[in-house]
């Protein structure tokens, strides 16, 4: 897919099943991704990450040759997201990601990943707007996204069912500037 510094983002492969099970059964990772009450096993990983969803680009993130996380990106439409209401003349992409190896947290790698994906989507003219919807309590992720230029647009009340109850999320946007730059 693409390389950016020590990061390499590539399409998911069958050999990545073990890493996904490891990451998605770790309560620290699950606190904001899927939920600690929903640890994954191999069958769940196969169903959720290897099923037929041609509109969603599913990728593994490597750092210096080590698989450390997951990122997916997709054009926002009725098949991929409930985040609707955007100008039909604009191409809007969503993305979701996590660093599955907690030892890589707090090192700026998440910021590097999000920035590199923005460049990938914008420079290839795939997207005019990129959106994220982190839980309002996921302060670490929100700081990362704001550092990358995302802005909070609106609070999405009871948007995500997580650990037994509906949680509020922020709709965050990164918009391509019309003067040729990015903001």
């Amino acid at each position: 897919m693409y390389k950016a510094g020590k990061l390499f983002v590539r399409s998911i492969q069958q050999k990545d099943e073990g890493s996904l099970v490891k990451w998605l059964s770790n309560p620290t990772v699950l606190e904001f991704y899927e939920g600690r009450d929903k640890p994954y096993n191999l069958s769940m990983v196969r169903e959720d990450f290897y099923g037929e969803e041609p509109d969603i680009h599913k990728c593994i993130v490597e750092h210096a040759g080590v698989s450390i996380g997951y990122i997916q990106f997709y054009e926002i439409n009725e098949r991929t997201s409930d985040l609707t209401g955007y100008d039909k003349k604009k191409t809007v992409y969503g993305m979701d990601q996590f660093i599955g190896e907690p030892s890589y947290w707090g090192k700026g790698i998440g910021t590097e990943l999000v920035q590199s994906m923005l460049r990938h989507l914008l420079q290839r003219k795939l997207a005019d707007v990129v959106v994220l919807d982190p839980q309002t309590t996921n302060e670490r992720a929100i700081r990362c996204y704001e550092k990358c230029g995302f802005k909070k647009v609106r609070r999405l009340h009871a948007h995500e069912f997580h650990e037994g109850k509906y949680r509020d999320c922020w709709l965050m946007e990164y918009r391509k500037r019309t003067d040729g730059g990015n903001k």
Side-chain angles (χ1 to χ4, degrees):
M1 182 93 25
Y2 71 85
K3 186 168 179 30
K6 292 183 178 184
L7 285 180
F8 179 51
V9 176
R10 61 171 174 77
S11 294
I12 195 171
Q13 300 170 6
Q14 212 62 43
K15 70 178 184 177
D16 300 314
E17 291 176 333
S19 294
L20 287 164
V21 170
K22 174 186 166 192
W23 301 332
L24 293 170
S25 61
N26 180 336
T28 306
V29 175
L30 290 173
E31 182 177 0
F32 292 107
Y33 197 93
E34 298 299 336
R36 293 167 287 201
D37 61 341
K38 189 182 172 189
Y40 273 63
N41 59 36
L42 185 56
S43 174
M44 293 166 74
V45 162
R46 286 178 176 162
E47 183 178 328
D48 284 1
F49 290 86
Y50 294 93
E52 284 297 316
E53 291 177 298
D55 294 337
I56 300 176
H57 304 274
K58 301 173 182 183
C59 303
I60 292 295
V61 179
E62 294 182 0
H63 185 269
V66 177
S67 295
I68 64 162
Y70 175 81
I71 189 166
Q72 65 183 23
F73 60 98
Y74 44 91
E75 187 171 351
I76 298 291
N77 59 45
E78 60 280 344
R79 291 182 311 278
T80 61
S81 177
D82 60 358
L83 298 175
T84 58
Y86 282 94
D87 181 347
K88 299 281 188 219
K89 295 177 189 162
K90 300 281 185 198
T91 304
V92 182
Y93 266 72
M95 58 189 232
D96 307 292
Q97 59 280 318
F98 65 86
I99 302 295
E101 296 289 341
S103 64
Y104 284 79
W105 293 0
K107 300 180 186 299
I109 297 169
T111 300
E112 189 180 343
L113 172 63
V114 171
Q115 289 171 336
S116 70
M117 182 55 74
L118 284 171
R119 282 191 304 274
H120 176 75
L121 294 173
L122 297 171
Q123 288 176 352
R124 285 162 182 76
K125 300 183 184 343
L126 297 174
D128 299 305
V129 180
V130 180
V131 297
L132 302 162
D133 59 351
Q135 291 179 29
T136 58
T137 56
N138 192 348
E139 295 171 4
R140 185 176 68 237
I142 292 167
R143 277 192 310 274
C144 169
Y145 304 150
E146 288 176 331
K147 192 185 305 183
C148 294
F150 281 86
K151 305 285 185 221
K152 293 176 185 169
V153 175
R154 73 176 184 271
R155 191 178 194 113
L156 303 170
H157 295 283
H159 180 68
E160 180 178 303
F161 191 74
H162 184 83
E163 296 185 347
K165 65 183 190 176
Y166 283 94
R167 311 286 176 141
D168 288 356
C169 295
W170 283 112
L171 175 61
M172 299 183 76
E173 292 181 350
Y174 186 98
R175 288 189 169 268
K176 185 169 99 174
R177 289 178 24 185
T178 57
D179 62 6
N182 294 323
K183 79 173 192 183

